Amino acid sequence: MLKLYVGNKNYSSWSMRPWVLMKQAGIPFEEVMVRFDSFDAGSNFKQAVMAINPAGKVPVLQDGEIVVYDTLAICEYLAESFPDLKLWPEDRARRARARSACAEMHAGFGTLRNACGMNIEADLSAQGRLLMRDSAALRAEVDRIVQLFRELLRSSGGPMLFGEFGIADAYFAPVGTRIKTYALPVPGDVTAYIERVQALPGVKAWIDDALAEKIFLDFEEPYREAPRS
Ligand SMILES: N[C@@H](CCC(=O)N[C@@H](CS)C(=O)NCC(=O)O)C(=O)O
């Protein structure tokens, strides 16, 4: 049985990607939750993750003796292991396009990732308004997301970026949750796509778990104080 090591569902955007991909594609796996405490060398999180992945990060996929870390490598490994599931588009040109979009997400959108950390259960719309007002870099990245989603949806005809659900939709799923948390302004057709993704059972399952988690971690919360107990 495949094992997928993930972090907190409210916060761990990288973990979300392979988890929703596997759930939605119907790939059976055992989830191993490694709760964030801190990312310090001596933390429980680091010690538990380093035991399997010397890079010290989640997600990690374990397939018997084989350990795959880094989200893009995990997605590629799954696509190769389950060719019938067509996790990448079948057409070579479309597949190249999907890989490019995922690589763009993997290596880019640094301002969105840093300034708008994933926080599924929070309403940070006021912070989102200020960030959009003050950061030209964030505005440019949101514009690029809109342009990319529109172009892909137009050429595939939807409902997902490349027609049917696949790696690209999983890759951008945490962008959708950030757009919602920070109420980042996007046009209606982009919101409709994000809502379609969030309604998929595999994605909804992650979001429901994230909402039920109710763990507040100061180091993941630049904009909120811990709720008073
Ligand atoms: N490039 C890695 C990034 C993974 C990553 O940054 N994961 C975060 C959790 S969402 C983590 O484990 N952080 C621990 C740390 O930074 O020490 C991937 O694509 O999987």
Side-chain angles (χ1 to χ4, degrees):
M1 170 79 100
L2 292 171
K3 271 190 192 174
L4 183 69
Y5 293 73
V6 296
N8 293 39
K9 289 186 171 164
N10 188 46
Y11 297 124
S12 185
S13 59
W14 290 110
S15 302
M16 182 183 186
R17 294 173 167 102
W19 193 99
V20 301
L21 179 68
M22 293 171 87
K23 273 277 178 235
Q24 186 60 25
I27 299 171
F29 67 100
E30 183 191 330
E31 169 188 317
V32 183
M33 167 62 67
V34 192
R35 294 250 175 247
F36 293 171
D37 50 354
S38 84
F39 296 149
D40 296 344
S43 63
N44 289 337
F45 171 81
K46 275 288 171 200
Q47 285 180 5
V49 176
M50 300 280 277
I52 173 114
N53 170 20
K57 295 191 179 191
V58 288
V60 186
L61 182 72
Q62 187 175 22
D63 183 7
E65 300 282 287
I66 301 175
V67 173
V68 193
Y69 61 89
D70 205 277
T71 305
L72 204 44
I74 293 171
C75 292
E76 289 288 4
Y77 184 83
L78 292 169
E80 190 183 287
S81 304
F82 300 95
D84 295 348
L85 294 178
K86 303 180 185 16
L87 300 178
W88 290 122
E90 273 191 293
D91 175 76
R92 186 174 152 81
R94 303 293 294 151
R95 196 162 61 251
R97 192 73 201 81
R99 283 195 161 114
S100 299
C102 291
E104 182 178 353
M105 177 72 245
H106 196 85
F109 298 106
T111 304
L112 181 70
R113 294 217 310 261
N114 292 333
C116 306
M118 191 167 91
N119 196 335
I120 290 174
E121 63 101 9
D123 173 359
L124 299 173
S125 45
Q127 289 79 359
R129 274 195 298 279
L130 294 179
L131 289 163
M132 285 296 282
R133 183 194 69 186
D134 295 337
S135 171
L138 182 63
R139 291 195 296 275
E141 289 185 7
V142 172
D143 284 352
R144 173 61 190 144
I145 291 283
V146 170
Q147 181 191 46
L148 183 67
F149 283 9
R150 283 186 147 171
E151 178 208 321
L152 296 176
L153 289 167
R154 200 167 32 240
S155 57
S156 70
M160 297 290 120
L161 294 177
F162 289 87
E164 298 304 315
F165 175 83
I167 292 172
D169 304 292
Y171 239 87
F172 285 96
V175 170
T177 69
R178 286 171 158 110
I179 287 174
K180 196 163 172 212
T181 296
Y182 296 86
L184 301 177
V186 295
D189 52 334
V190 169
T191 305
Y193 162 70
I194 290 168
E195 283 172 357
R196 286 197 295 279
V197 170
Q198 295 187 355
L200 295 171
V203 180
K204 188 175 177 308
W206 176 279
I207 292 173
D208 288 348
D209 288 353
L211 294 175
E213 216 166 45
K214 302 199 182 309
I215 298 173
F216 188 99
L217 294 172
D218 289 352
F219 69 96
E220 293 281 357
E221 296 276 358
Y223 306 119
R224 299 195 300 176
E225 288 186 333
R228 294 208 183 97
S229 51

